[in-house]
Amino acid sequence: MIITIDIDKLRQYMLDNSYGAFFIGDFGGALAEAADIENASDEELVEMAERQGIDLRRFEV
């Protein structure tokens, strides 16, 4: 099934979560992940979210 998602909302959610890693001590990892999220195409972002187990239905429009 194909759904349409709000990519901007998904990207912001993923950025918020990657920056959260900064506060638990993984500063380098958080910066690298944030850069990957910011530079990812829409398709790459969806693939990253799926690998992280994010429920994309939360971002359905």
Side-chain angles (χ1 to χ4, degrees):
M1 177 170 107
I2 297 176
I3 62 171
T4 302
I5 61 170
D6 184 333
I7 289 292
D8 294 328
K9 206 170 171 182
L10 174 61
R11 191 178 307 273
Q12 188 60 52
Y13 174 82
M14 292 177 69
L15 283 170
D16 290 347
N17 284 335
S18 72
Y19 287 129
F22 168 75
F23 294 107
I24 59 171
D26 188 14
F27 181 70
L31 283 180
E33 184 176 345
D36 290 344
I37 292 168
E38 289 174 345
N39 295 318
S41 69
D42 295 353
E43 293 82 10
E44 291 169 333
L45 190 69
V46 168
E47 290 173 7
M48 291 169 66
E50 288 175 334
R51 282 194 303 270
Q52 292 181 17
I54 296 171
D55 183 1
L56 294 176
R57 293 175 295 184
R58 296 176 56 190
F59 306 95
E60 190 171 357
V61 291

